[in-house]
Amino acid sequence: MSQCSRKELLIASFFVLINAYGILAAAQGNLFDSLKNNIRYAVSNGQKLSATLSFCDKWESMSPDTLRYYVLAAKQLALKQNDLHASIFADYYMAAWLFQANKIDTALTLTDKTISAYKKDFSYDDVLAKLMSLRGNILIRTDNVAEMTKNSFDFIKMAEEHKDTLNIARGMLGIGNADMRLKKYDETLSWYRKALQLLPNAMYKEKLSFIYNNIAIVFYHLNKEDSATYYVKEGIAYSQGSGNLTNLANGWFLYGGLMAEYKHISEAETAFEKAIEIRKKIGDVYYIISDMAQLALFYCDNNQPQKGIALCNEGINLLKQNGNDFSNQSSLYEVLAKAYLQVKDYKNYSDVLRQQLNLKDSIYQKNTAEEMAEMQAKYEVQKKEAEIAHQRLLLVKKNYLIYGSLAVFILLVFSSYQLFKRYRQDQKFRLIQAIEKEKKISERAVNEAEENERKRIAADLHDNLGAQANALLYGTEQLKNIAQDESVLLDNLQYTARDMMQSLRETAWAMKQSEVEARQVWLRIINFCKHLSLIFKEIRITTNGDAHATAIFSSNRALQIILIVQEAINNAVRHSGGDRINVESRADESSWLITVADNGQGFDLAQHQNNGIGLVNMKERADKAAIAIRFDTGIGKGTAIRLLIPFDALKA
């Protein structure tokens, strides 16, 4: 197929989606009119209650005000009828309204209370499944990834016990969403594919149409344009089939974002307009803010940064008015920083970057990989226990008629259990004594180590900031005397101030913990490279590879690794004269190799061996942390700095 015909096919499929949306809008209106007529012409309070609850079930496609009106009506009817089941069902929709209105804490409290009440009086059914699904959606908005993962595993276990395939898939989607928040894209894709395999037909896929949007986002992060575009179109098509306006608006906005990213500007504008038109009908504040960030990014990418700044600031004000507790606020700050950089407003750019970094640090601290792994392991154990229990039940049924043998068997089991219990108590008592003794020794050792570590880090912080503050002072004195070099001095002052802020942040981060995973170190190096890329757009800074999955370092050693790598990158940016810098990570079971290489002019290593301040600093830090460092360079050959780091330990 020629390039021209492929383009025509893409345009044709795009307009099929638009035409389908027009049909959906009319169908959606007819559906709501029909549901309202069912309420209006109900001949008894019981029929009216049932019709009102059916109308509320379309809450994802209506405004919060409309939902609240009908929820209150349903609650009053349920109380009049003394219908406990309907009353709890109405509480679910009230929690959904609070969720739409972004009253997140209140929504979570009511959802937990409703789940508890429902479990007390009713068995598992569609109402309880909807409550569990809503709880997961509430948790993801608070960025409480650990709690969301636990909720999803609980949901899966409950659905598996009742062979509820659709809601098993919902639970798997929840785990995938949590992994995506932590940027674990391979794990995310694995969970999404497991969920997709449980959707055998179009009806199931329409109910979980948002899975296609989520898969498209993963492929976008993996730089797979064709796959991302394909899945978002699938998501739009299934959302149209289900009539879910929230999922449909999300699909159109995601499609617009992808088209803008891939430079299809006209298609992007059309998609954004469709999404906003649908979103206005719903009025969900969370998604309105998300849409603002996406549209502001579109403005920035199309040379309209002032519009982007205005839209982001409007979104931030909306955040403050609605509790400031949105998981999508990070994207709003990212776009705002980009817009300020475009208009060269460096003061506001610096302020926004600092707020963004603090926000990301708080999110990472709240959701550790250990918690996620622990919950997944717990789920697997519970699943195995359930399987074992089921097998035992089958065995008992099979041998039910052999009463004599069964009685002997029970007696033997009971006797063995008593002996085992006694033995276990003995072992437990000895273990407790040993643990207490070890605990006292460990506490003393940990206290001494922590004190030494803090002193060492504090001294490092003092040395770094003292030297950089002297550089700032010297620069300001020169500004008073040498007017012609003001531009160069200002650049140096700005660079020094940025280095001070980076050193302070990294040192403060290290002081908060006694041990640091290699993956955390590598993540901070990646983030540092991304921020430099925003500032020095003329230089292409890339990162390749990954850290060892279970390696850990002391906080001081982790800090030295980060500061050495940052020093190497800064030197390449400021002095190499090149336009490419690559930071590469390779790890085996015993050590970690990090390479910082540029394509710059290089230098004579012999001349700078002892008098280059940057080289001396890196060597001193490497010596402190028992790191082997090597400099490969030459005039006209570029520079490569290699760190070989033995591991402190590996987690079991």
Side-chain angles (χ1 to χ4, degrees), residues 384-398:
K384 292 294 183 185
E385 288 176 348
E387 291 175 357
I388 292 171
H390 182 65
Q391 291 171 358
R392 285 178 177 172
L393 180 60
L394 292 177
L395 184 61
V396 169
K397 287 181 178 179
K398 183 178 179 180

Side-chain angles (χ1 to χ4, degrees), residues 331-396:
S331 58
L332 205 58
Y333 281 108
E334 285 182 10
V335 178
L336 183 57
K338 180 175 182 178
Y340 277 133
L341 190 61
Q342 279 186 312
V343 298
K344 298 182 179 180
D345 185 347
Y346 297 114
K347 180 181 182 302
N348 280 322
Y349 168 73
S350 177
D351 290 342
V352 172
L353 272 187
R354 185 167 56 254
Q355 294 177 55
Q356 182 190 358
L357 288 172
N358 289 338
L359 177 63
K360 286 185 176 180
D361 278 349
S362 66
I363 291 171
Y364 186 84
Q365 290 297 327
K366 190 166 63 174
N367 304 287
T368 63
E370 288 87 353
E371 289 177 321
M372 303 287 289
E374 181 181 348
M375 289 177 188
Q376 185 157 353
K378 183 179 179 182
Y379 161 72
E380 295 295 339
V381 170
Q382 289 176 339
K383 185 175 181 179
K384 292 294 183 185
E385 288 176 348
E387 291 175 357
I388 292 171
H390 182 65
Q391 291 171 358
R392 285 178 177 172
L393 180 60
L394 292 177
L395 184 61
V396 169

Side-chain angles (χ1 to χ4, degrees), residues 382-424:
Q382 289 176 339
K383 185 175 181 179
K384 292 294 183 185
E385 288 176 348
E387 291 175 357
I388 292 171
H390 182 65
Q391 291 171 358
R392 285 178 177 172
L393 180 60
L394 292 177
L395 184 61
V396 169
K397 287 181 178 179
K398 183 178 179 180
N399 296 284
Y400 185 73
L401 296 176
I402 312 174
Y403 291 108
S405 299
L406 184 60
V408 172
F409 173 76
I410 292 173
L411 182 61
L412 288 172
V413 169
F414 180 78
S415 301
S416 300
Y417 174 74
Q418 291 298 323
L419 290 172
F420 174 77
K421 187 176 179 181
R422 190 175 305 153
Y423 170 79
R424 191 175 178 182

Side-chain angles (χ1 to χ4, degrees), residues 452-463:
N452 292 334
E453 194 78 348
R454 291 181 188 278
K455 287 179 180 178
R456 188 160 45 250
I457 293 174
D460 197 3
L461 178 62
H462 178 271
D463 291 345

Side-chain angles (χ1 to χ4, degrees), residues 607-617:
Q607 292 183 3
H608 295 81
Q609 190 75 26
N610 297 316
N611 58 5
I613 295 176
L615 301 184
V616 172
N617 283 345

